[in-house]
Amino acid sequence: RRHYIRARLYTQGGQYCVSPTGDQDSANLLSFVAANAYIVIPEGEVQVKAGSQVNVQIIGHPLNSVDQS
């Protein structure tokens, strides 16, 4: 099944980057607060290597604290 990983979307060197917000446990509220996007992991994918291109679903305002260059 498809998985959604809470993440932080930001720009670095003119490119969009995304990083997981840490522990994905449903009880971890800090992970929810820090997230401004979800990394979408397609069906059948087990893991995604660092540096890979991924699809994201933006949550909240897309330009809210995205720029970190």
Side-chain angles (χ1 to χ4, degrees):
R1 70 179 192 198
R2 185 174 299 163
H3 293 276
Y4 297 88
I5 307 297
R6 292 182 297 276
R8 189 85 187 140
L9 178 67
Y10 59 96
T11 59
Q12 189 171 48
Q15 294 186 358
Y16 284 105
C17 300
V18 66
S19 296
T21 55
D23 183 8
Q24 298 293 304
D25 186 81
S26 62
N28 185 348
L29 296 180
L30 291 177
S31 178
F32 282 104
V33 171
N36 66 355
Y38 293 113
I39 299 170
V40 181
I41 308 296
E43 298 86 354
E45 291 285 328
V46 177
Q47 73 181 61
V48 176
K49 293 183 181 181
S52 298
Q53 288 189 352
V54 294
N55 290 322
V56 297
Q57 176 68 50
I58 296 172
I59 56 177
H61 192 281
L63 300 178
N64 186 17
S65 300
V66 170
D67 187 17
Q68 295 187 3
S69 38

